[in-house]
Amino acid sequence: MFMKILIATTNKGKMKEFGEGLSGYDLLTLNDVGFDSEIEEDGTTYLENAQIKAKTVSEKYPEYYVLGDDSGTEFEVFGFENHFPGLFSHRWKSNLSNNERNQFILDEIKKKSKELGRVPYRANYFCTLSLYKNGEEVFNTQSIWKGEVLREEQIGRGFGYDSIITTDYKTSIDCMPLQEKNKISHRRQALFNLKRFLNELNGESVKVVNSVSLYNDNNYKLTDISDDELESSVAVLFSVDSEFNSSSNNNQILKLLEKTKRYIRVPIEDIDINGDSFEDKEELSQIYNLTKEQAGGVEFPNKQRLSEVLDFIEGEDNVIVACSAGVARSGALATFLVDNGYELNPNYNTRFAPNEVILEIFKEIKSENNKN
C-alpha cells in the first residue's frame, strides 16, 4: 500500500502511537510540511475538535489524507453526563502539579462516597479521529477505554491521569508497560478502526479476533460487540454447560449468536481440568454434574474438540472468542490466532493470561496439520 497521511500534530509521543497503530502507511507531521499556524480548537465535542484540525490542514494540503484527533478523560465522580474534565483534560487545573490534580480527584471521590454511601470511581478515556481529503471528511471514529479509579496514586511514568486509573483493578495504567498500554489504549482502539477503513479503501483485508467475556462482570462482554461485527464473524464460545443453559443467560446470548455467520460452543467441562486425565467416569460426573454418558471417553484437555475449533474457523477473517469463566481458555485461542496472522481488536481489550496447556495443544494441532 502507498498512501501518505498527514497527521495534524507535532507531538512526538503521539506520533509514536500513530506509527504503531498505522504500520504500513507513510505518515507525515505538520513539521514535515512546514505548517506552523495556530489551530483554534473551539469545538464543543471531541469530534468537532478533531474535524477542525483535519479540515483546516486538509484545505491547505489537499493532496494528502489529513488526520485530526482529540481525546479526553471523564470521571464518574463529576457525573458522566457532564463529560468532565473531557475537552479540558489537558488544561484543567493547570495551576496544580500532576500529582496535586490527581489527589484533588481522589479527595472528591472520598467526599462523594460519604454522601452516596458508595464509591463512584469509574473513569473513561475517549479518543476521536477524523480523516479528511481535499477539505471533505471521509471517515471518523470514537473509542472509549473503560477504567476505574484507584483508591490511591500508583506513579510509574507520571503521565496525566494514568496514575489513578486502572483497567485490571490492580495496577495503574501509569505502571502498565508502555508497549502493552499502546496496544489497548483508547487511541489504539480508534487507530484500529481507522486502519480497517484504510485497508478496505485499498482493497486489503485484515484478519481480526475479538476476545470478550460472555456474562462475567467484565468491562468487555459479548453484548458490547456491534451488530456489524457480529454479522461478519464466526464465534467460538468456551462456556460451562449449566451456565450457558440457564434461561437468564441463554436467551440473551442466543439472540446475539443468531446474528453471527455461525458459532460453535465448547463446554469447558470438555476441555480442561488442570491438564489431568480422568478414567473414572463416576468421579468425573460428580465433579461437573455430568451424566456418565456425557463424561464417557473424555480426556482432558480434549484435543479432538480443539481440533474441531480450528477446522471451524478455517478461512474466516473475523473471529469472536468468548469465555464464561475468565478468559484464559478463550485467551489461548486468541493468542494462537494473533501468532498466526490475526490482529487482536483493542476495542474489546479484555486482558487475559492464556491457558498455556490449551495454547500448546493448538500449536501441536497446527504442526500436525502442516505435516499432513
Side-chain angles (χ1 to χ4, degrees), residues 187-206:
R187 184 168 288 120
R188 186 56 171 266
Q189 293 174 34
L191 287 170
F192 177 88
N193 297 339
L194 172 61
K195 189 173 183 180
R196 288 181 88 171
F197 168 78
L198 292 173
N199 285 347
E200 290 174 5
L201 201 63
N202 286 293
E204 300 179 7
S205 62
V206 179

Side-chain angles (χ1 to χ4, degrees), residues 99-115:
N99 291 14
E100 289 171 337
R101 185 175 59 175
N102 287 337
Q103 191 56 54
F104 176 86
I105 295 171
L106 295 179
D107 290 342
E108 287 298 301
I109 289 176
K110 289 178 182 176
K111 292 177 188 175
K112 270 286 171 57
S113 65
K114 291 179 181 179
E115 294 174 16

Side-chain angles (χ1 to χ4, degrees), residues 234 236 262 309-316 319 333 337 342:
V234 296
V236 180
R262 63 184 190 280
V309 168
L310 294 189
D311 289 342
F312 175 80
I313 63 178
E314 178 69 28
E316 294 293 338
V319 179
L333 177 57
L337 292 178
Y342 285 75

Side-chain angles (χ1 to χ4, degrees), residues 4-23 25-32 67-69 129 182 187-188 191:
K4 286 190 175 182
I5 303 174
L6 175 56
I7 313 296
T9 187
T10 58
N11 186 305
K12 292 182 179 180
K14 187 182 293 186
M15 281 304 298
K16 186 176 187 302
E17 283 190 70
F18 278 106
E20 293 171 353
L22 296 175
S23 58
Y25 288 91
D26 189 3
L27 306 184
L28 304 172
T29 70
L30 295 180
N31 288 334
D32 293 324
L67 184 64
D69 78 293
L129 301 178
N182 289 346
R187 184 168 288 120
R188 186 56 171 266
L191 287 170

Side-chain angles (χ1 to χ4, degrees), residues 17 20-22 125 129 141-146 167 179-196 206-212 218-221 224-225 229 319 334 338 342-352:
E17 283 190 70
E20 293 171 353
L22 296 175
Y125 291 91
L129 301 178
T141 183
Q142 177 168 282
S143 289
I144 305 173
W145 195 19
K146 302 175 184 178
T167 57
Q179 185 177 16
E180 181 181 356
K181 175 191 173 183
N182 289 346
K183 286 181 179 179
I184 60 176
S185 72
H186 51 308
R187 184 168 288 120
R188 186 56 171 266
Q189 293 174 34
L191 287 170
F192 177 88
N193 297 339
L194 172 61
K195 189 173 183 180
R196 288 181 88 171
V206 179
K207 291 185 173 183
V208 176
V209 55
N210 304 276
S211 180
V212 294
N218 188 289
N219 275 342
Y220 299 93
K221 300 182 286 296
D224 294 319
I225 295 183
E229 195 79 40
V319 179
V338 169
Y342 285 75
E343 287 193 33
L344 182 65
N345 188 344
N347 288 285
Y348 311 109
N349 57 69
T350 301
R351 300 175 70 188
F352 50 75

Side-chain angles (χ1 to χ4, degrees), residues 43-258:
T44 59
T45 65
Y46 301 113
L47 178 57
E48 287 180 5
N49 278 342
Q51 290 171 330
I52 289 169
K53 293 179 189 177
K55 182 177 176 63
T56 302
V57 178
S58 179
E59 289 176 340
K60 189 168 184 178
Y61 302 96
E63 67 271 29
Y64 297 118
Y65 280 92
V66 178
L67 184 64
D69 78 293
D70 196 28
S71 58
T73 312
E74 300 179 8
F75 291 88
E76 182 186 11
V77 68
F78 301 122
F80 275 151
E81 69 279 5
N82 297 320
H83 306 289
F84 196 78
L87 296 176
F88 311 103
S89 295
H90 304 297
R91 305 186 296 275
W92 180 58
K93 292 194 175 293
S94 57
N95 59 313
L96 300 180
S97 68
N98 199 65
N99 291 14
E100 289 171 337
R101 185 175 59 175
N102 287 337
Q103 191 56 54
F104 176 86
I105 295 171
L106 295 179
D107 290 342
E108 287 298 301
I109 289 176
K110 289 178 182 176
K111 292 177 188 175
K112 270 286 171 57
S113 65
K114 291 179 181 179
E115 294 174 16
L116 304 178
R118 66 181 184 90
V119 180
Y121 50 73
R122 289 182 295 160
N124 293 330
Y125 291 91
F126 290 81
C127 178
T128 299
L129 301 178
S130 176
L131 185 70
Y132 270 67
K133 183 72 168 68
N134 198 22
E136 298 291 334
E137 186 179 58
V138 294
F139 178 79
N140 69 64
T141 183
Q142 177 168 282
S143 289
I144 305 173
W145 195 19
K146 302 175 184 178
E148 299 208 358
V149 181
L150 294 162
R151 302 304 175 87
E152 59 185 23
E153 236 184 343
Q154 291 182 9
I155 301 174
R157 292 173 294 274
F159 180 78
Y161 303 105
D162 286 4
S163 60
I164 59 172
I165 300 177
T166 179
T167 57
D168 64 3
Y169 315 105
K170 297 175 184 177
T171 306
S172 73
I173 292 173
D174 208 39
C175 293
M176 181 189 297
L178 188 58
Q179 185 177 16
E180 181 181 356
K181 175 191 173 183
N182 289 346
K183 286 181 179 179
I184 60 176
S185 72
H186 51 308
R187 184 168 288 120
R188 186 56 171 266
Q189 293 174 34
L191 287 170
F192 177 88
N193 297 339
L194 172 61
K195 189 173 183 180
R196 288 181 88 171
F197 168 78
L198 292 173
N199 285 347
E200 290 174 5
L201 201 63
N202 286 293
E204 300 179 7
S205 62
V206 179
K207 291 185 173 183
V208 176
V209 55
N210 304 276
S211 180
V212 294
S213 176
L214 273 179
Y215 342 101
N216 290 356
D217 185 16
N218 188 289
N219 275 342
Y220 299 93
K221 300 182 286 296
L222 187 65
T223 51
D224 294 319
I225 295 183
S226 67
D227 284 351
D228 287 345
E229 195 79 40
L230 289 169
E231 291 166 5
S232 65
S233 303
V234 296
V236 180
L237 317 178
F238 296 84
S239 65
V240 177
D241 262 343
S242 58
E243 190 169 23
F244 182 82
N245 291 323
S246 71
S247 58
S248 59
N249 287 325
N250 184 275
N251 292 338
Q252 181 185 34
I253 297 302
L254 280 179
K255 287 180 181 178
L256 296 174
L257 294 176
E258 288 170 358

